[in-house]
Amino acid sequence: MAALLCRRSLPRTWLCRRAGQGCGRHYRAALCAELKQPLAIEEVARRPVRPHEVRVEVHFCGVNFADILVCRGQYQEKPPLPFTPGMEFSGIVLETGADVSSVKEGERVIGLSGFNGMAEEYIADQKTLWRVPEKVSLQEAAVLPVSYGTAISALEHRAHTQPGETVLVTAAAGATGLAVIDVATNVLQAKVIAAAGSDDKCKLAVQRGAQGSVNYSQGSLKEAVRRLVGSRGVDVAIDMVGGEVFLEALRSLAWEGRIVVLGFAGGNIASVPANLLLLKNISAMGLYWGRYQDQDFPLFSRSLSSALQYCQQGRIRPYVGSVFKLEEVNDAFLHVIQRKSTGKVLLSLK
């Protein structure tokens, strides 16, 4: 992936034609013109907002592994080329369409862009924006949508985590892993066992609230969990790694335990041994959080509103691992690919 550090350029005239306007006012955006190639930073012409739309000045945009996958053509959704990646952002409302009533100019917002967030401006449907409370910074707010929306939905909606239960989370030092620790510990009053691939990542997870940790690069996850919690096992497991780590987490569950699959960062998708589900009455389920935006928007919206409320109340503390400038987007991608990142990686556009 060293090629991601290179720079490419696109013709300015092409960009003007794409925007459908003359070259008047412009903003910078990261553009994927060819899959598996570096992104280019180019100027894009503005377009007018439609009646239900809002123009946002983007201050921060999250860098998610899904952004890398979509730029490789390996994500579930495949936008037509060329496109701008970036699934979540925070910023300030610059302009509203005639029918917009949910936000006003000058208000601070977070948004879900599907893609297109890695740009200095983004035009959003008003339904995909949430106001940021006074006590929450725009940098903190940019961490919330994907990581905390996923964590809240996994723990509260899918696993029905109860106070006092024990939660095992894999990839615990990543953005979503730390969000799971934060919500489980500080909102749901559960106990968390953090599993990660290095001692430094385990240490960070404990610093962020986990009661115990396991370095699964050094031996059996199941045996390490057993030493921490005893033979009964954990009530809930949240897995983002897949493969053998998923199977070990599954075998670590207690009677009527629940495991929620969030992804396959390890690159391997395991087959579920159905006999394990039967013997201990275990539930195995998945969570593709973004699908709720189409399938159950009220639930989707509640997860974001809850994240903002918890942050305003000081009950959660979003963790930013690294911040890159827009023109450093390829470096940010490489940072994530090489697993150098802990917590959320952000692009700063201001």
Side-chain angles (χ1 to χ4, degrees):
M1 300 305 298
L4 283 168
L5 294 174
C6 302
R7 305 292 186 204
R8 289 172 58 90
S9 180
L10 298 175
R12 184 182 180 87
T13 55
W14 176 86
L15 290 165
C16 296
R17 288 199 303 272
R18 175 173 178 261
Q21 291 184 306
C23 288
R25 299 185 63 180
H26 295 79
Y27 60 91
R28 295 186 307 152
L31 293 170
C32 178
E34 185 178 349
L35 298 178
K36 300 180 182 179
Q37 294 299 319
L39 302 184
I41 306 301
E42 293 291 342
E43 291 189 348
V44 179
R46 273 182 160 189
R47 70 164 176 85
V49 296
R50 300 184 181 98
H52 62 284
E53 291 180 333
V54 178
R55 190 188 310 278
V56 178
E57 178 184 68
V58 178
H59 283 227
F60 294 95
C61 180
V63 180
N64 294 285
F65 196 70
D67 295 311
I68 296 168
L69 291 178
V70 77
C71 290
R72 293 173 172 175
Q74 297 172 341
Y75 195 60
Q76 298 98 311
E77 301 173 30
K78 294 178 172 58
L81 294 168
F83 66 88
T84 294
M87 304 171 64
E88 58 185 340
F89 62 88
S90 66
I92 296 175
V93 174
L94 292 176
E95 181 184 359
T96 60
D99 296 339
V100 173
S101 59
S102 58
V103 296
K104 298 183 294 187
E105 290 182 26
E107 288 189 323
R108 302 182 312 140
V109 294
I110 57 171
L112 273 297
S113 54
F115 295 103
N116 297 312
M118 293 181 180
E120 291 177 327
E121 291 185 8
Y122 176 72
I123 293 180
D125 188 295
Q126 65 173 329
K127 294 180 181 179
T128 64
L129 296 176
W130 289 259
R131 284 193 294 267
V132 176
E134 179 182 352
K135 294 182 181 179
V136 181
S137 71
L138 284 177
Q139 180 168 295
E140 288 178 315
V143 180
L144 298 177
V146 172
S147 297
Y148 279 83
T150 299
I152 290 167
S153 297
L155 290 164
E156 295 185 357
H157 175 64
R158 297 298 276 158
H160 298 290
T161 308
Q162 301 300 309
E165 288 192 317
T166 302
V167 176
L168 170 66
V169 56
T170 66
T176 302
L178 291 176
V180 168
I181 293 170
D182 204 1
V183 174
T185 301
N186 298 313
V187 176
L188 301 177
Q189 282 76 57
K191 302 173 183 177
V192 176
I193 304 299
S198 73
D199 289 342
D200 286 342
K201 290 180 178 180
C202 288
K203 182 179 179 180
L204 173 63
V206 171
Q207 290 172 348
R208 300 299 296 179
Q211 282 72 42
S213 66
V214 175
N215 181 345
Y216 46 59
S217 70
Q218 295 182 349
S220 167
L221 173 61
K222 177 186 174 183
E223 292 305 315
V225 170
R226 183 186 292 270
R227 288 193 292 270
L228 287 171
V229 302
S231 59
R232 177 181 178 275
V234 299
D235 302 289
V236 175
I238 309 293
D239 179 56
M240 289 161 274
V241 179
E244 188 60 31
V245 171
F246 163 81
L247 293 173
E248 290 281 285
L250 182 70
R251 294 186 178 102
S252 300
L253 288 174
W255 167 260
E256 290 194 333
R258 295 88 74 198
I259 188 166
V260 184
V261 177
L262 301 185
F264 313 101
N268 295 314
I269 300 174
S271 296
V272 178
N275 63 310
L276 294 183
L277 307 184
L278 177 68
L279 291 173
K280 291 196 288 185
N281 282 13
I282 288 169
S283 298
M285 63 198 83
L287 175 68
Y288 178 9
W289 178 69
R291 283 291 301 277
Y292 284 106
Q293 190 166 5
D294 296 322
Q295 300 293 324
D296 189 345
F297 186 79
L299 188 148
F300 180 81
S301 184
R302 282 198 303 273
S303 68
L304 286 171
S305 297
S306 294
L308 288 163
Q309 180 183 7
Y310 296 154
C311 198
Q312 169 79 349
Q313 294 169 343
R315 299 172 71 185
I316 58 173
R317 298 176 299 138
Y319 181 79
V320 177
S322 304
V323 180
F324 293 82
K325 297 178 182 178
L326 177 61
E327 56 269 23
E328 298 172 326
V329 61
N330 293 308
D331 299 324
F333 275 24
L334 190 60
H335 192 74
V336 174
I337 290 166
Q338 294 180 339
R339 303 181 187 275
K340 295 180 179 178
S341 59
T342 54
K344 178 65 77 173
V345 177
L346 296 177
L347 293 183
S348 174
L349 293 101
K350 293 296 173 186

